Amino acid sequence: RGASLIITGRDDKRLANAVAWLKDRVPAVIVETEKADFASLAEVRAMALRILASHPRIAILVNNAGLFMGKRVLTVDGFEATLQINHLSPFLLTNMLLPAIEAGSGGAGDPSRIINVSSMASRFAKIDFDDLNLAKPGSFWNSYGQSKLANILFTKGLAARLDPKSIIAVALHPGFVASNFGNKGALSNLAWRLMRPFQISQAKGAENSLFAATTSDVAAIAGLYLVAKKPVRPNKQAADSGAVERLWRLSAEMTGISLEPNL
């Protein structure tokens, strides 16, 4: 559609491969890359500043970074890795880019869009606000679901703070996508392979994000959680405005940003 793209990643070779893949299919596409490891808030902060310096207008932000761990790991910032990479770093990046996202808005009929890729794993999860770092024995098993539920609560928090005529926020489930995402050791690898017949292609898995990025009916998706391009009711914790605000406050404290959007 003529959009210029910035794709982010933590590995130069994989970024170069992604650019080559895109160029092979759409030779005229303009693609830039930005390298940052979401396990480091300092790297995310530095990347956001670089993007702001070179791109004062951003029409669409898709937060698609994802991690599934086979054990509890802490980042250099001292946070549980799944929570930081799947939620805290996108929270930080989004809030830092908000001025450019607002500037990229086309107005009431064409607002900028923030798309947070969540997961159906959020359905049975629960955010333990007293143990976000999952230090309690056995709590690690909730890590991925908690982080994906946090994506939805973050979306709700954005929707409560932003003018939908200027920026909308959407959360979505991409589907059960065939990838190497679940390959985390022999047992996990076996389970992942056994589930292959139920997985969808990577192209199919991108459709929900592309729909949210391009649909003209923004009023039908703003602030909602989408599955197969349709709004569905998320985990009941996402309907708890107190939980939404508590997560926002804690996330702001953990990432060192202002409580309110910097617009």
Side-chain angles (χ1 to χ4, degrees):
R1 297 198 178 198
S4 299
L5 307 178
I6 306 172
I7 58 174
T8 70
R10 60 193 173 103
D11 180 270
D12 287 324
K13 183 177 180 181
R14 293 173 72 181
L15 281 169
N17 288 343
V19 172
W21 188 94
L22 288 163
K23 288 282 190 180
D24 183 56
R25 287 154 179 79
V26 188
V29 70
I30 298 173
V31 188
E32 300 175 29
T33 62
E34 281 287 351
K35 184 180 177 182
D37 188 338
F38 275 31
S40 166
L41 294 178
E43 288 194 27
V44 174
R45 192 173 286 109
M47 179 178 71
L49 291 174
R50 293 194 303 269
I51 292 173
L52 285 170
S54 57
H55 295 277
R57 294 170 57 87
I58 297 171
I60 302 166
L61 171 65
V62 182
N63 287 314
N64 190 50
L67 176 76
F68 173 81
M69 295 287 287
K71 59 183 178 179
R72 183 175 183 266
V73 174
L74 297 182
T75 69
V76 294
D77 300 293
F79 302 126
E80 194 273 318
T82 310
L83 178 73
Q84 177 165 333
I85 291 167
N86 293 1
H87 167 62
L88 291 175
S89 287
F91 178 91
L92 172 63
L93 179 65
T94 301
N95 275 279
M96 290 188 68
L97 294 182
L98 277 177
I101 296 171
E102 184 181 46
S105 173
D110 185 25
S112 296
R113 304 167 196 221
I114 298 168
I115 299 164
N116 295 320
V117 179
S118 179
S119 168
M120 288 292 280
S122 64
R123 176 176 290 183
F124 305 107
K126 182 178 181 180
I127 295 177
D128 184 349
F129 288 104
D130 296 321
D131 188 30
L132 280 177
N133 263 344
L134 304 177
K136 296 176 184 175
S139 64
F140 167 73
W141 296 105
N142 188 46
S143 61
Y144 182 69
Q146 173 182 255
S147 71
K148 294 288 97 181
L149 179 54
N151 295 155
I152 301 176
L153 269 66
F154 173 39
T155 302
K156 297 289 185 181
L158 279 169
R161 286 166 167 80
L162 301 176
D163 180 355
K165 294 179 181 178
S166 180
I167 308 172
I168 66 164
V170 184
L172 58 85
H173 170 57
F176 187 22
V177 182
S179 68
N180 293 322
F181 188 69
N183 293 346
K184 300 294 180 182
L187 185 59
S188 175
N189 292 0
L190 175 61
W192 198 253
R193 287 198 299 271
L194 290 174
M195 291 187 288
R196 283 286 186 185
F198 307 100
Q199 297 174 354
I200 62 175
S201 70
Q202 293 176 27
K204 190 75 175 174
E207 286 186 2
N208 215 13
S209 294
L210 290 169
F211 168 75
T214 60
T215 180
S216 59
D217 191 4
V218 291
I221 64 170
L224 301 179
Y225 173 59
L226 306 181
V227 176
K229 305 179 186 178
K230 296 184 182 299
V232 301
R233 182 177 297 177
N235 181 307
K236 63 181 181 180
Q237 203 172 17
D240 181 348
S241 59
V244 169
E245 290 308 304
R246 188 175 183 184
L247 181 65
W248 189 284
R249 289 195 303 272
L250 287 170
S251 300
E253 179 182 324
M254 295 164 85
T255 57
I257 67 162
S258 170
L259 274 174
E260 295 304 319
N262 180 28
L263 293 175

